[in-house]
Amino acid sequence: MSSVVNQAWLRALPSKVPAGLANPMEMAAFELKSALPDFPVELHEAPALGDGFSLQKAADGTWTLTGGQTGLLYGAWQLILSRLAGDPLPETLSSSPRYALRMINCWDNPDGSVERGYSGRSLFFRNNRLSPDPDRMRELGRLLASVGLNVLCINNVNVHFPGQLLLEDMLPDLAALADLFRPFGVRLMVSIDFSQPMRHGIPTADPLDPAVGAWWRETARRVYAAIPDLAGFLVKADSEGRPGPFTYGRNHAEGANMLAEAVAPFGGVIVWRCFVYNCRQDWRDTSTDRPMAAWQHYAPLDGQFADNVILQVKHGPFDFQVREPLSPLLLGLKKTPMAMELQLAQEYTGHQIDVYTMLPMWQELFEELPEENIMSIAAVSNLGDDANYTGHPLAAVNLFGFGLLAWNPGMNPEAAVRRWSRLTWGFAPAQEDALTRALLSSRRTYEKYTAPLGIGWMITPHEHYGPNPSGYEYDLWGTYHKADRDAVGIDRTGKGTGYLLQYPEELQRKYGDPAACPDLYLLFYHRLPYSFRMRDGRTLIQRIYDDHFEGLEETKALAATLSALPFPEPDRTVIDERMKKQLCNAREWCDIINTFFHRLSGIPDAQGRTIYP
Ligand code: GCV
C-alpha cells in the first residue's frame, strides 16, 4: 500500500491534513488557511443549517461563510475548489444537499481483496484485519468531503467470514476508523450478515424470533456505544446466496423492521438492498423474466417498512448494464424511503481499463426520475489502494461527479467534468475542451462497441470484461437475448413477459410500441426481426453492424485525443497502457458481436466491411 499525498483532483493542495483536528469546523478552518492563505473569510457556525451553508461577500471584500459544522466544511470546499479551478464566485451563495445520505459502498473483503475492484487492494483491510494507513484515510476523507460525500460503508455487502467480526472483535478498530473520518463529516456504515446471531448459539435467524431481535438490539447497543454516529447497517438479504428472511417464511419488511427497531434508539438506519431475484433460473424457463423480480418482491410491501428503513434500489432492473431503463421500483413505491444505487466500479463497463465517464448516464436517469422519489443516493466504490485511488486516472471523474450529483442531481455534467479536469491537470483551454468532449462521449462509445441497443449481457461471464455473446445464454442468471437466425430480444410488453406493465402508463406508451420506442432501449423491450426498420431507415441488423464499427472508430479517435494531451507522469504511462488494452477490447467486441449476428442471420453488411465468415 503506498502512502501518496494529495492524489486525484486534490493534487494541487499545498499540505496534507494533520492528525488531531477535532471536528469539521476545525477542518474547514485548516483547509481554508492552507489552500487559500490570503483569502479573507470568516466562519460562523449556524447548527440549524446542518450540511448547508451560505457565502456572502461584504462591501470591503471580506467573505463570511455560515453553516452547520459540516456545512462549513462543504462551504470551505466550495470556495477552495472554485478558486483552484479559477471559476468566479457569486457574491452571495446558499447551498444545501438534495440528499441526506450521500453514500459510497465499498465491496472490500477482510482478506484485502475487493469484489469487482479494479484499483488494487482494499484501502481498509489486510490479512483479515482492519488495518488502514491513517495518512491515507485522511487523504480519502478529504477527497470525500471535498465533493460532499458523507457516508462510507467499508465492507462488502457479501459478508464472508470474518466480516462479521466488524461488529465483534474488530469493533475497536472500526471505532478508531470512525474517529479518523469524523472530522471530515464522513460517517461509517457496516454491511451485516443477516444470519449473524447464529454465530452466537441462537439456532435461527428468523426475524420474528424474540431471541434474534434481542441479539440485534444488544449488538446495536454495543456498536453504538463505540460509534455513536454510525450511519447504520447495509443489508444484502436473500440475494445471490446471502441469508435472509425467506428461509423462515418471512418477508423483507419483517426482516428489515426487526433490524430497524434495533438501531432506531441510536438514530441509525437500515439500508436494505432490493437486488433480489432468482439466480438459479433454468434457461428453459420462459415464464420468469429476471428484471421483473424486484417489483414482485417489494411493491406489495410498500408502506410496511419502518421509518428508518431505506430501500436501496439499483438504478436499473438488471445489474448495472451500460444501458437499462430506470428500475420500476424507483417510480412506483410511494410510501417507502428509497435510495438509488449507482456503480462507480466499472464491473460491466470496462474494468477501469476502458474510459467510461458516467455523468451523462446519470443525467439521463434523472430525466425520468423525479428527484424527490428518493431520499438518498449510493454508489458502489471504484476506490482501491492504487496510488491514484481509481486505477485509471480518468476514472476519478466518476467519483468526483458522483459527489456533485448527490449534492445536486441537476448538476451539469460538462461543468463537472471541466472542473475536475482543471483541478487535476490544469490544461490549456483547447486541451481541456478536447478532454471534456472525449470523456463526455466515452460512455456512448463503449455502448456502441459492446452489446447492442439495450440488450446487455453479451459479456464474458463472471469476469465481466470482453465479449462472449452467448456466454450467459444457457446459464442460471436469467440474462438471455435469445438471438436466432431471424430475430433477437425479449418481448417485455404486455403481450410478452409483462415487465413493462410495472411502469406508469406514460412510460408504457413511450416504450411499448417498437415503432416509437427510443432506439437505445429497443431490444430491452422488444423481440424484433433483423429486417425491422429503425426510425432512421436502417434495418436493425445494419444498425447493429454500424454501431459496432462506429464504436471501434470512436475508440481510435479517443486514443488519438488522449495521446495528444500533456498528461504528466505517472498518469501518462497508465493512460497509455490502458488505452492499448481498450483498443484491443473494442476490436474484439466489434468483430465478435458483428460476426455473431452475421453468422446467425446470414445478412451481409450493406457497406461491405470486414465481418468474419
Ligand atoms: C456484491 C452483481 C455482482 C456481484 C455483486 C452483486 C450485488 O451480481 O456481479 O459481484 O455482489 O451484483 O450487487 O450484490
Side-chain angles (χ1 to χ4, degrees), residues 107 115-116 157-158 236 240 273 275 314 319 347:
W107 287 353
E115 182 154 348
R116 311 304 179 185
V157 287
N158 291 326
K236 173 174 176 177
E240 299 184 332
R273 295 177 83 235
F275 185 56
K314 289 191 183 188
D319 188 16
E347 176 179 355

Side-chain angles (χ1 to χ4, degrees), residues 253-274:
E254 289 166 321
N257 291 349
M258 177 275 295
L259 292 168
E261 190 188 334
V263 297
F266 314 102
V269 294
I270 297 300
V271 177
W272 187 273
R273 295 177 83 235
C274 297

Side-chain angles (χ1 to χ4, degrees), residues 144-156:
L144 299 178
S146 75
V147 289
L149 294 169
N150 68 351
V151 176
L152 182 65
C153 185
I154 58 161
N155 66 315
N156 191 354

